[in-house]
Amino acid sequence: MAKRKPDQRQPRVNIEGEVLRQIRQHARSNSKTEVCGVLIGEENGNGVSISARIPGLNAAQAGTYVTFTQDTWEHIYKIKDKEYPDERIVGWYHSHPGFGVFLSDHDTFIHKNFFSSALQVAWVYDPHSDEEGCFGWAGERLERVSEIHVKDDKGGEEAGETGKPEPVGSIDENEEIAETDRETEVGPPVWLKWMLAVMSHVLVFVVGFVIAYLFFPQIRFFAVDPYTHRIFGEIKRGELAPVPDSVSEPRPPDLQPPSSDRNPKPSVPGSTPQPAPKAPAPKTDSGKDQNAPRK
């Protein structure tokens, strides 16, 4: 006989809304370490229906993972036999506080060893991000279930049976009424709007002028005597410099002709000038002075 291949389809998961509320409350009770428990329900064809849960008390918590101990299983079977004798364990749940929704290696080990049935699932909830997901067998692999149905046993009110009267008037009529209300709204007169606009522009101009006068430099011109450095007055734009009544012009110093003697000798008081010595008479070849009288 040929070996039957395992079903590759994901299990259909139906879960009660009250069970989800209890799982979230259990996970939020300890936001730092993981908590766990088992899911109670029944199998129906290719899916499971989850109708209750049993918290895993006395589980070994180690921060990033949780382990079912012998005391945990004893407590679980005690509650199941007492409150859910006709139902079975269809999976388990645990929290990932701040880790996200996935199955770690430790989680996969627990699922393969304690929840190896084809329709048993694993529910993961992160109380920090409020994200949750369900994982189930697809053949020999664990995959995240893409379709989950949440059932609310409290029921609700069907549409059209509230007993309340239908609203009168269509959307077009309501829009026309709204437009009429806008047209009939009483507002300020037009002249007041124009006056406020003009005043606002004038106010902005005045404020800008004051700021420019106080914070920007101003250039002023003054007429100054270049020799005495006396200020005659301020020169305004478009005007000539003021001319004073009397302006003192400095005279250049008296210039005397230079002396013919480039190297003058200092004069001594009480002394008369001495005549310049005469040059000696030239001598002839015989060595006699030509200027001497002849005998």
Side-chain angles (χ1 to χ4, degrees):
M1 293 179 61
K3 186 176 180 180
R4 185 176 64 88
K5 295 182 179 179
D7 194 352
Q8 301 293 328
R9 294 176 298 176
Q10 292 182 347
R12 297 190 305 268
V13 178
N14 297 319
I15 187 170
E16 295 283 349
E18 181 63 21
V19 177
L20 282 179
R21 187 190 66 81
Q22 294 175 0
I23 292 175
R24 296 165 184 168
Q25 185 177 4
H26 187 196
R28 291 167 183 166
S29 64
N30 198 336
S31 60
K32 294 183 179 180
T33 57
E34 294 187 8
V35 297
C36 64
V38 296
L39 303 173
I40 304 297
E42 59 183 7
E43 299 178 0
N44 47 10
N46 191 36
V48 292
S49 296
I50 303 171
S51 58
R53 62 99 201 190
I54 301 176
L57 300 182
N58 301 322
Q61 299 174 343
T64 58
Y65 65 89
V66 66
T67 302
F68 289 86
T69 63
Q70 185 65 29
D71 295 337
T72 304
W73 284 115
E74 290 180 0
H75 170 76
I76 289 174
Y77 280 108
K78 182 179 179 180
I79 298 298
K80 179 189 175 302
D81 294 340
K82 180 180 179 181
E83 299 182 7
Y84 313 104
D86 299 332
E87 297 179 296
R88 57 180 302 177
I89 297 175
V90 294
W92 67 298
Y93 73 89
H94 68 289
S95 64
H96 275 183
F99 309 144
V101 177
F102 65 95
L103 288 181
S104 63
D105 294 339
H106 183 75
D107 301 335
T108 304
F109 173 82
I110 292 178
H111 198 83
K112 288 182 177 180
N113 286 273
F114 298 100
F115 307 96
S116 58
S117 177
L119 296 180
Q120 287 183 321
V121 296
W123 193 276
V124 183
Y125 175 68
D126 186 349
H128 291 185
S129 62
D130 204 28
E131 182 185 2
E132 56 193 354
C134 185
F135 298 83
W137 290 103
E140 297 181 354
R141 295 177 302 153
L142 281 172
E143 296 180 355
R144 186 165 181 171
V145 178
S146 59
E147 187 175 356
I148 301 172
H149 299 276
V150 180
K151 183 180 179 181
D152 188 3
D153 288 337
K154 294 181 180 180
E157 191 176 48
E158 295 184 2
E161 298 183 0
T162 59
K164 299 178 181 178
E166 295 292 334
V168 179
S170 62
I171 299 176
D172 297 335
E173 294 175 354
N174 294 333
E175 291 180 354
E176 293 178 358
I177 294 172
E179 292 178 358
T180 305
D181 293 341
R182 295 192 194 99
E183 293 177 357
T184 57
E185 289 180 355
V186 178
V190 179
W191 64 268
L192 181 59
K193 294 181 180 179
W194 280 101
M195 182 178 293
L196 292 176
V198 172
M199 292 179 63
S200 62
H201 285 76
V202 172
L203 180 60
V204 171
F205 178 77
V206 172
V207 172
F209 178 78
V210 172
I211 293 175
Y213 182 80
L214 294 177
F215 295 98
F216 287 89
Q218 301 178 13
I219 301 176
R220 302 174 66 182
F221 298 91
F222 295 90
V224 180
D225 188 349
Y227 304 106
T228 62
H229 302 288
R230 186 167 58 91
I231 299 175
F232 300 131
E234 182 179 359
I235 304 174
K236 298 182 180 180
R237 293 185 179 180
E239 296 181 358
L240 297 177
V243 180
D245 297 336
S246 61
V247 178
S248 59
E249 296 182 359
R251 297 179 179 178
D254 296 335
L255 300 178
Q256 298 178 359
S259 176
S260 58
D261 190 2
R262 296 184 178 180
N263 297 320
K265 295 182 179 180
S267 59
V268 179
S271 63
T272 58
Q274 299 292 332
K278 295 182 179 181
K283 296 181 179 182
T284 60
D285 296 336
S286 58
K288 296 181 179 181
D289 189 0
Q290 295 180 0
N291 294 327
R294 296 181 179 180
K295 295 180 178 181

